[in-house]
Amino acid sequence: TKVIIPNTTYKNAVNMFNAQNYDGAISAFSTLNGFKDSDDYLYHSKYQKAVMLMDSGDFDNAISAFADLADYADAASLQQEAAYKKASTLLDSERWDEAISTFSSLGQYEDAQQRILECYYKQGESYGEQGALVEAAACFESAKDFSDAQQRALECYYKQGESYGEQGALVE
């Protein structure tokens, strides 16, 4: 009976893995203490769960799951990919500061540095639409050489100056 119990648990765990029930597979393989190739299956289950999380848009949990896998397969690369996708989603949702922070954490990964400039540029556009010209100009300046950011910053300063002039708020 000593061999039957781990063998049955192992077969059930493999079936769960094959059915993409990674939580169940992880739980079952964790109890097998290296029986057969259960440790390999355990790591592969965790890896596949992380991929599934990333593919479903659960980027925070995917990033954490890939981090827990450390040097397993290409987990480190996929951790960066998940963070990049998270930052892109934040950018699309106009959550500028979070997007900038997440892209910044990626260093030289892909075009993360360019995407930071894009965040500042789009944030500048948003501030400009709201009439917050000083904030818009600061964002456009932070966007450096992205698109026409420097020209847009100057336009904001010019419009702000015009506004002061119209209000009679010029300072000598």
Side-chain angles (χ1 to χ4, degrees):
T1 44
K2 282 188 173 183
V3 175
I4 294 172
I5 293 172
N7 206 33
T8 302
T9 303
Y10 176 83
K11 285 180 182 179
N12 289 336
V14 170
N15 288 336
M16 285 187 268
F17 176 84
N18 290 334
Q20 299 180 350
N21 175 358
Y22 301 119
D23 288 327
I26 290 166
S27 178
F29 286 125
S30 295
T31 66
L32 289 170
N33 299 319
F35 180 77
K36 291 188 178 182
D37 56 355
S38 62
D39 286 344
D40 292 336
Y41 265 113
L42 175 61
Y43 280 103
H44 199 59
S45 297
K46 290 178 179 182
Y47 177 87
Q48 290 298 359
K49 179 180 178 183
V51 169
M52 183 184 72
L53 290 167
M54 181 173 67
D55 290 346
S56 70
D58 187 353
F59 301 119
D60 288 328
N61 284 323
I63 291 165
S64 177
F66 284 126
D68 290 345
L69 288 166
D71 295 328
Y72 182 78
D74 59 348
S77 173
L78 290 178
Q79 180 183 3
Q80 286 188 304
E81 182 180 336
Y84 183 89
K85 288 180 176 185
K86 173 186 176 181
S88 296
T89 300
L90 291 167
L91 171 60
D92 293 341
S93 301
E94 300 182 3
R95 293 167 60 187
W96 318 116
D97 294 333
E98 293 171 85
I100 290 166
S101 175
T102 306
F103 278 126
S104 295
S105 74
L106 292 168
Q108 298 304 313
Y109 180 79
E110 298 281 332
D111 62 347
Q113 296 305 305
Q114 189 69 14
R115 299 298 302 272
I116 292 168
L117 301 180
E118 180 183 355
C119 289
Y120 282 121
Y121 186 89
K122 289 187 174 187
Q123 186 176 29
E125 288 181 321
S126 177
Y127 278 131
E129 290 168 5
Q130 297 168 29
L133 298 174
V134 173
E135 292 85 352
C139 289
F140 285 128
E141 285 182 355
S142 294
K144 300 179 181 168
D145 61 350
F146 186 85
S147 187
D148 62 345
Q150 294 309 299
Q151 180 64 35
R152 299 282 303 269
L154 293 174
E155 290 171 6
C156 288
Y157 288 129
Y158 182 79
K159 288 178 185 175
Q160 186 67 33
E162 281 183 328
S163 172
Y164 286 144
E166 290 169 4
Q167 296 170 13
L170 293 177
V171 180
E172 293 187 32

